[in-house]
Amino acid sequence: MSWSHSKSWLSSLLAPTPLAIAITLIVAILIPLILHVVVFRSASTTSLPSFLLIGPSNSGKTSLLTLLERGQPAATHTSQYPLSVELSLPVATAATSSSFRSVNDPLSQTHKRFLLIDTPGHGKLRHYALDHIVKPQYLKGIIFVVDAANVALGSSGLKEAAEFLHDILLILQKRSAAVKRSRVGTNIPILIAVNKLDLFTAIPALLVKSALEQEVSNVRTSRSKGLLDSGIAMHDGDVGEEKDWLGHGREGQFDFSQLDEADISVTVAGGNVTGDRVDVTKWWDWMGNNL
């Protein structure tokens, strides 16, 4: 039987019969659905927003990641490599990007999903964290974790945390200047998560903020003096410009509000990852506000 015969299968399909109409409707409905599923799954695995966990060793970064992933603290060990997990905001925490959606909208849950990336805090392994900041992939914010019991004035713990924080803030400040020039990209906010507030020797979050600002000032002065003494400022046209000194300049007291001019939001909030008084509510809220 030829294809042009009135009873051939091709003619039957092309003819306006109930069977042909039904098959056409099924195909028209299934193809968009299949494409949507394929595209959505591929996008969800590669373009989830992310938050970066950084900070000195033993500040509680991996413990925080474990708590947020499992809902309860667990024993951890010093990180040697970056580790990322996919998380969702708690039911009670809303993402800013879905604030206009109904609670019954299934997409509102999609906007609560993100990656949390834990990075090693050891000095020789901090390049992992710096790589994520210099070349951010869907990075929504940085969580800098400090041990509230290890940052007393004059302590080595405070100096280590301030040096690391100074370098991170300077990178963000330079990135902000580049964003303004190119008008491409967005600035990255940073949360200073003051951890271990349940310990007897812990310092309140506001005092940790003041201690970090004071020690960052010392780091800034020391770094700028080293550059000037080495003669780099005499030969490098960029060194000495405002963007190469954190905040308003290389001398004087530094405070986080100086970064407002660079549109860099710095938030300091206390919490506790382990023990009987686990509390990370403020940190969840900050992540929700930046999703």
Side-chain angles (χ1 to χ4, degrees):
M1 183 179 297
S2 66
W3 70 271
S4 60
H5 195 279
S6 60
K7 293 184 179 181
S8 68
W9 64 272
L10 186 57
S11 298
S12 299
L13 288 177
L14 295 177
T17 62
L19 176 61
I21 294 174
I23 293 175
T24 302
L25 289 175
I26 292 174
V27 171
I29 294 173
L30 287 180
I31 288 180
L33 289 176
I34 293 173
L35 289 175
H36 173 76
V37 170
V38 171
V39 172
F40 177 78
R41 286 185 176 178
S42 62
S44 63
T45 58
T46 59
S47 60
L48 280 178
S50 62
F51 291 97
L52 187 65
L53 277 177
I54 62 176
S57 295
N58 300 317
S59 58
K61 301 184 298 297
T62 306
S63 297
L64 174 58
L65 179 140
T66 304
L67 172 65
L68 299 185
E69 179 186 22
R70 304 179 184 177
Q72 58 184 8
T76 61
H77 56 82
T78 302
S79 301
Q80 301 293 324
Y81 300 97
L83 172 66
S84 63
V85 297
E86 183 178 328
L87 301 175
S88 293
L89 292 175
V91 175
T93 304
T96 299
S97 60
S98 60
S99 58
F100 62 91
R101 298 182 183 276
S102 167
V103 294
N104 298 318
D105 187 345
L107 289 179
S108 63
Q109 295 303 315
T110 300
H111 285 260
K112 286 189 171 188
R113 296 167 57 235
F114 63 94
L115 292 178
L116 185 62
I117 306 171
D118 180 23
T119 58
H122 191 278
K124 294 182 178 179
L125 300 174
R126 290 177 183 171
H127 60 89
Y128 289 115
L130 299 181
D131 288 344
H132 279 90
I133 299 173
V134 174
K135 300 177 181 178
Q137 292 291 325
Y138 310 106
L139 186 61
K140 292 294 186 179
I142 297 172
I143 303 174
F144 188 90
V145 184
V146 295
D147 181 351
N150 193 37
V151 287
L153 286 174
S155 67
S156 59
L158 175 62
K159 182 178 180 180
E160 179 186 8
E163 288 178 343
F164 194 7
L165 181 60
H166 172 276
D167 294 345
I168 297 300
L169 293 176
L170 186 57
I171 291 174
L172 292 179
Q173 180 177 279
K174 291 184 177 182
R175 184 180 182 277
S176 174
V179 168
K180 288 181 178 179
R181 289 194 303 268
S182 63
R183 298 183 181 180
V184 176
T186 57
N187 291 321
I188 302 173
I190 182 168
L191 166 68
I192 299 177
V194 183
N195 189 26
K196 304 184 183 181
L197 286 178
D198 63 317
L199 298 181
F200 179 76
T201 55
I203 301 174
L206 285 178
L207 293 183
V208 171
K209 174 180 179 293
S210 298
L212 284 173
E213 289 175 332
Q214 181 174 333
E215 191 61 31
V216 167
S217 300
N218 297 335
V219 174
R220 179 177 65 175
T221 301
S222 176
R223 296 280 178 86
S224 62
K225 185 177 185 299
L227 289 174
L228 292 173
D229 290 345
S230 66
I232 296 177
M234 297 174 60
H235 304 288
D236 189 341
D238 290 333
V239 176
E241 293 181 7
E242 184 177 359
K243 65 184 179 66
D244 284 296
W245 312 114
L246 185 62
H248 290 165
R250 61 178 181 266
E251 297 178 350
Q253 179 65 31
F254 168 80
D255 62 76
F256 296 129
S257 65
Q258 293 179 14
L259 297 175
D260 291 344
E261 294 181 5
D263 295 326
I264 299 173
S265 170
V266 181
T267 303
V268 181
N272 183 48
V273 174
T274 61
D276 297 330
R277 294 181 293 172
V278 173
D279 183 11
V280 293
T281 304
K282 294 180 180 178
W283 304 345
W284 271 129
D285 291 340
W286 181 86
M287 286 184 277
N289 290 335
N290 288 285
L291 269 182

